[in-house]
Amino acid sequence: MQVYIVTLFLLILFDFLLKPRKTQQGKYRYAIFSYILLGGLSALRKYTVGNDLHYQYYGNFIKYHDLPWKYIYTVKTRYEPGFLTFFKLVGMVSENPQVMIAIHSLFVVGVFIFFMYKNCEDLPLAVYLFVTMNHWFQSMVILRQMLAVCIVIIATEILYGKNHWLIRYIIFSILVLLAISMHYSAIVGFVFILIKHVKFGKTMFLMSTVIGYLLFVSNTFFDWGMEQVKNILSSSRFLSKQYSYFSSQLLQESKYTMSGLYSFVPYLATFIFAGILLMGWRVAFSIRPGDWQARYERKVEFCGAYSNDFLMNSIMIIVMARILAFSLPVFSRFTQYFMPFEYVLLGRVMKKIYSPMIRRICLIVIYVVTACAFYMMNSNLNLNAKMTGTVPYKFFWEY
């Protein structure tokens, strides 16, 4: 756990030294530093750091890396052909599983850092939350899905690019299909085409809030929703094969666990405050007198090409899926594709706050609360072992 505490300290220290919020050069240098720090630690970790890496990917790389090409699509395994191809390509470079860990880590962390550098108003905050919200830990565990998530991120960047719309949609679709070949859950990536064109207004904000509230507090409404999900999964020829896996992940204990709430409340808070501040509600955060009308009408330019509607739709999906995940944990897997947009939206919310003092107070609260929760969950070895198995951290040369 000491390694992760030092990591958080270094992220804060270099925030002060490089001043990434003030200059583009500082932001660029901070992105490089973050990539070296987080990517390096991921690449140099021992195979025991990360549950799935420890119990399946490490050994299965040794088993499948030299699989003949003609068997890639016919071998009987739960791994998708795209991921077996990844094993095969890495195996052509080196048979050492540590090389596979390093290549995967540097690619995944690199995609996330580049995405945050390009689109986030507050890069240090985004990188900090990438760690404290356990997203970084997930990249060390669910290797197949994180490759799929990164490919979908690249596809979404192209979807919002400047090429001709037909070219963008064709490339996007090809990349999502590639992501599906890494992990079947990436089929949710096609949702991005839909939400790109869906306006998120006050009516949708209020409706989603009411529905989410009913799902969260009403067992009757929640059970009805879960029954509809069951019917959809069972009636699909493709998804019915996965249903036994889905249904086996029902929680037997209380659904409002600490880890579940921690992965839900921050997205809910971002959704609420973003809805208030970005959608024209006449609310301003300030403790000083002044021209209130100017505060309502002030124009704020945001970096990145993503619209506020797209980001609000993405976070709404996360909130709804997280509520469902309290009783059907597999739904949390689908949120992985939308989580990066939390960092983009949160930065816009912070920039929209008028008062510098209020912004500083909010930043301090976010840093302190998420750091404390991160420490509480991951210093508990039993809880960490159930969630990610990333503690204790060991370098690959340690015994």
Side-chain angles (χ1 to χ4, degrees), residues 195-209 271-272 274-276 278-281 307-317 320 345:
I195 65 176
K196 184 179 187 295
H197 300 285
V198 175
K199 292 293 183 181
F200 194 96
K202 294 178 182 179
T203 301
M204 184 173 290
F205 178 72
L206 292 174
M207 287 180 56
S208 58
T209 300
F271 177 73
I272 292 173
I276 292 173
L278 299 180
M279 291 170 42
W281 298 85
S307 66
N308 289 340
D309 293 324
F310 177 88
L311 297 174
M312 288 297 296
N313 282 311
S314 297
I315 304 305
M316 179 188 69
I317 291 173
M320 295 301 182
L345 187 59

Side-chain angles (χ1 to χ4, degrees), residues 279-349:
M279 291 170 42
W281 298 85
R282 293 183 63 81
V283 176
F285 285 89
S286 178
I287 60 173
R288 294 177 295 184
D291 187 347
W292 285 86
Q293 189 65 29
R295 293 175 193 176
Y296 291 130
E297 298 177 355
R298 73 188 181 105
K299 301 296 183 183
V300 178
E301 296 294 331
F302 300 119
C303 67
Y306 297 101
S307 66
N308 289 340
D309 293 324
F310 177 88
L311 297 174
M312 288 297 296
N313 282 311
S314 297
I315 304 305
M316 179 188 69
I317 291 173
I318 292 179
V319 172
M320 295 301 182
R322 286 288 179 183
I323 293 174
L324 294 175
F326 281 121
S327 284
L328 197 59
V330 73
F331 269 90
S332 64
R333 285 296 190 103
F334 295 109
T335 65
Q336 295 289 338
Y337 299 93
F338 302 91
M339 285 167 62
F341 301 103
E342 154 79 2
Y343 311 131
V344 181
L345 187 59
L346 182 58
R348 294 189 182 187
V349 171

Side-chain angles (χ1 to χ4, degrees), residues 56-70:
Q56 47 171 311
Y57 294 124
Y58 186 87
N60 283 329
F61 172 79
I62 298 173
K63 180 179 179 181
Y64 292 121
H65 77 273
D66 59 351
L67 192 70
W69 284 109
K70 62 180 180 180

Side-chain angles (χ1 to χ4, degrees), residues 12-26:
I12 295 174
L13 175 63
F14 276 80
D15 182 5
F16 283 103
L17 294 177
L18 299 177
K19 296 178 173 52
R21 294 182 179 89
K22 295 183 177 180
T23 66
Q24 189 64 28
Q25 184 181 47

Side-chain angles (χ1 to χ4, degrees), residues 105-304:
S105 299
L106 294 175
F107 173 75
V108 169
V109 175
V111 170
F112 274 97
I113 295 296
F114 178 78
F115 171 84
M116 291 185 281
Y117 168 76
K118 181 180 177 183
N119 297 290
C120 292
E121 305 294 332
D122 192 329
L123 178 61
L125 177 61
V127 175
Y128 188 84
L129 290 176
F130 179 66
V131 177
T132 57
M133 290 296 294
N134 291 322
H135 208 174
W136 181 39
F137 280 4
Q138 291 297 325
S139 72
M140 302 185 196
V141 180
I142 50 176
L143 271 62
R144 286 156 52 223
Q145 186 173 5
M146 292 311 291
L147 282 178
V149 169
C150 288
I151 295 172
V152 171
I153 289 175
I154 295 171
T156 310
E157 287 285 297
I158 292 173
L159 185 65
Y160 262 88
K162 297 180 180 180
N163 294 322
H164 187 274
W165 70 270
L166 182 59
I167 295 176
R168 286 187 282 119
Y169 278 82
I170 290 175
I171 297 176
F172 174 84
S173 299
I174 292 173
L175 287 175
V176 172
L177 291 174
L178 176 61
I180 293 172
S181 77
M182 295 290 176
H183 198 273
Y184 290 136
S185 64
I187 194 172
V188 77
F190 285 112
V191 172
F192 287 121
I193 294 179
L194 174 63
I195 65 176
K196 184 179 187 295
H197 300 285
V198 175
K199 292 293 183 181
F200 194 96
K202 294 178 182 179
T203 301
M204 184 173 290
F205 178 72
L206 292 174
M207 287 180 56
S208 58
T209 300
V210 171
I211 294 172
Y213 175 80
L214 291 174
L215 279 173
F216 189 72
V217 302
S218 172
N219 288 331
T220 301
F221 190 70
F222 186 93
D223 292 340
W224 176 85
M226 295 308 302
E227 185 65 27
Q228 306 313 305
V229 171
K230 176 183 176 181
N231 293 337
I232 294 172
L233 294 176
S234 301
S235 62
S236 169
R237 183 176 181 181
F238 170 73
L239 293 178
S240 61
K241 297 179 181 179
Q242 311 292 328
Y243 182 66
S244 60
Y245 171 69
F246 295 161
S247 59
S248 68
Q249 292 198 14
L250 287 168
L251 289 179
Q252 298 301 320
E253 64 268 17
S254 172
K255 64 181 179 181
Y256 301 124
T257 60
M258 176 183 171
S259 58
L261 289 172
Y262 182 54
S263 61
F264 166 69
V265 172
Y267 299 100
L268 177 63
T270 301
F271 177 73
I272 292 173
F273 282 103
I276 292 173
L277 292 178
L278 299 180
M279 291 170 42
W281 298 85
R282 293 183 63 81
V283 176
F285 285 89
S286 178
I287 60 173
R288 294 177 295 184
D291 187 347
W292 285 86
Q293 189 65 29
R295 293 175 193 176
Y296 291 130
E297 298 177 355
R298 73 188 181 105
K299 301 296 183 183
V300 178
E301 296 294 331
F302 300 119
C303 67

